[in-house]
Amino acid sequence: MRPSPKLILGVDTGGTFTDFVLLNCATNKVRIHKVLSTPQKPEQAIVRGIEELGLTPEVASGKLIIIHGSTIATNATLEGKGARTVFITNRGLKDMLSIGRQTRRELYNLQPSPRPTPVAADLCLEANCRLSATGEVIEPLQQKDLDRLRREVEALNPDAVAINLLFSFLDSSDEKRIEAAMPKGVFTSRSSFVLPEYKEYERGVATWLNAYLGPLVQRYIEHLQQRVQPSPLGIMQSSGGTIDARQAGRRAVNLLLSGPAGGLAAAKFIGRICNTEKLMTFDMGGTSTDVALIEGELRLTNEGRLGPYPVAVPMVDMHTIGAGGGSIAYLDTGGLLQVGPESAGADPGPACYGAGGGEPTVTDANVVLGRLRSDNFLGGTMILDREAAQTAVSRLASPLGLSLEQAAQGIIDIANEHMIRALRVISVQRGHDPKDFQLCCFGGAGGLHVCALAQALRMNRALVPVYGGVLSALGMLVAPRERQLSRTLPGPLNEIDEKRLQQHLLEHLEQLQKEGRRQLLEEGVTAQAITLQPSLDLRYRGQSYTLNIPFTDISQARADFHKAHELRYGHRLDMPVDLINLRLRVVADAATVVLPERPAATTPIDPVSTAELYGVGTTVIYQREQLPAGCQIRGPALICEQIATTLVETNWTAQVDRQGNLRLRFETSD
């Protein structure tokens, strides 16, 4: 069993910065740090951050536990830079991934641009075998067919192989035989391991993505392990729970939202501290902004997407747009100002970084407007080049006939509108009133925009968490160790003996429990620390989509489904209910994290300086680290800290709580 940790380091690798949060469990002290990311070799930025934090001796002695979230799988998918992968399926189905669901991105476009196929036709192979929908063997897999497949794979010389046979979730033996027949050294992914559920297209995409990303992710994790050994390394999954690095390499598809999931785990943690469980979150980093809703627990979905691909493995339910601090502003062919989705990234970065970037970005606009202080960025360790930012923005100002400040404000307004639209997608368009939630911002750029976004959505409360600029890294520390297991067990709930069905489900549940427990026990989790959360995917007969319902017994699950359907869609039906999937969440809580408390305010806090902000006027500036608990700051004000800046706009008040979170409230003037 792993000993109780003394030092835990959360690391979040983003497109622009790599963030660090170090927790000393013995002294309850927290340290934070940021370094520029190294996209070509992300582990270099991690090692650099460890060295700058003075943790090299702890790493060498194995006393440091590292939990890591990364965008490596996300970026490889979006950029099409995965491994050369062979796709094996049943005879007659090799075009499965190309045909998909036959849906069109533009319904009324009669001449749509062709969509690239995930796997080239010459890399798609067929196996002469077939199961029925009930798992019976229709055509057995012959040894000569296995030999043929092996020869074809050897001739193609791929980096990875994805195996997806019909109804393999009922009987995985054919997939396992094909996997065993593949040449040594080829990364092999089979659907009965990745996603043993129905829907052959979605299962096929998940299996292909796992193979396509597997060699890259596995190689990266191995390199990182070598740099930090013998210290243990955990990896954040898309579902908001962590997995040991030794197991993560085989589950690359489960890491697609690794970094953003950490932010939501931390937002949930902060929300509970603040007795605020209904949060609308936006994570504004350097490259993109992720938005989501939290109502007590993280919302998961099996209907997520990344780029053009459906991702059916459990992942946090969020919406992502290409609007971040590094998003580039430009004039389109019609002469209109646009912002994003292209980003300046970490290299060369925004013009104000002084690293060779010349394109105007959202960060440059904030510098021009005085909202980002050139002498107080990253605690003064990185001096921003204000003249370079002005030069970059002026390239847009002149063609638009605007002043420098007006052009910068236009960039901010457009970026804000992109984020407002995204927040409406996950709230208003799903039947939620934003006024029922608090807007919670994090990421290095979030605090500069939070008041404007909340006001546009008519929300009068907002929350800027402590360590908000590195909140995803904090989430690595508070996330539980977790596995999400599933199995498709299609059948009616109403037309067969309930006791027999209950026993049938319990037998399958026991198999999932054994597997989930085994995986967590291998990570050093004690058996007593493991909890199990079974659930069922149910739907009315004839429906295509399911609702996930907690499972204790059949009759209760059926009753809960009717209630959930009425709550979600406004009605219930007098129709049979069908079972689709059995799911099990196997979880062990992370080490207890207690944030240090701040001393209470005894005297008024004086600002460190003042500044003139365009469109705002004279603005007081405070240093967040110096603010005691209980103090109130009326806007307009800038609250600067080592890793972020918060703009408290006019008619807004910020109050500091005991942990250092900023509670923002909008106060209308009478």
Side-chain angles (χ1 to χ4, degrees), residues 451 455 459-461 632-635 648-655 663-670:
C451 290
Q455 205 161 331
M459 303 170 73
N460 60 13
R461 294 179 300 160
Q632 288 192 0
I633 297 171
R634 295 185 62 85
V648 183
E649 296 199 9
T650 305
N651 295 329
W652 283 83
T653 299
Q655 182 170 8
R663 312 281 193 96
L664 304 181
R665 182 174 291 276
F666 180 70
E667 299 176 349
T668 56
S669 55
D670 297 329

Side-chain angles (χ1 to χ4, degrees), residues 560-637:
D560 290 344
F561 168 75
H562 288 298
K563 293 177 183 178
H565 193 280
E566 186 170 20
L567 181 65
R568 175 74 64 86
Y569 301 109
H571 65 278
R572 63 174 68 196
L573 300 175
D574 185 18
M575 293 181 63
V577 177
D578 284 346
L579 165 67
I580 303 299
N581 299 311
L582 171 66
R583 299 192 182 277
L584 179 66
R585 181 176 184 245
V586 185
V587 61
D589 288 338
T592 301
V593 175
V594 180
L595 297 181
E597 294 189 1
R598 299 200 175 191
T602 55
T603 59
I605 299 299
D606 295 326
V608 295
S609 62
T610 60
E612 289 293 325
L613 267 62
Y614 174 80
V616 177
T618 303
T619 303
V620 292
I621 301 175
Y622 293 88
Q623 195 65 33
R624 185 170 181 176
E625 290 83 358
Q626 300 174 2
L627 298 178
C631 74
Q632 288 192 0
I633 297 171
R634 295 185 62 85

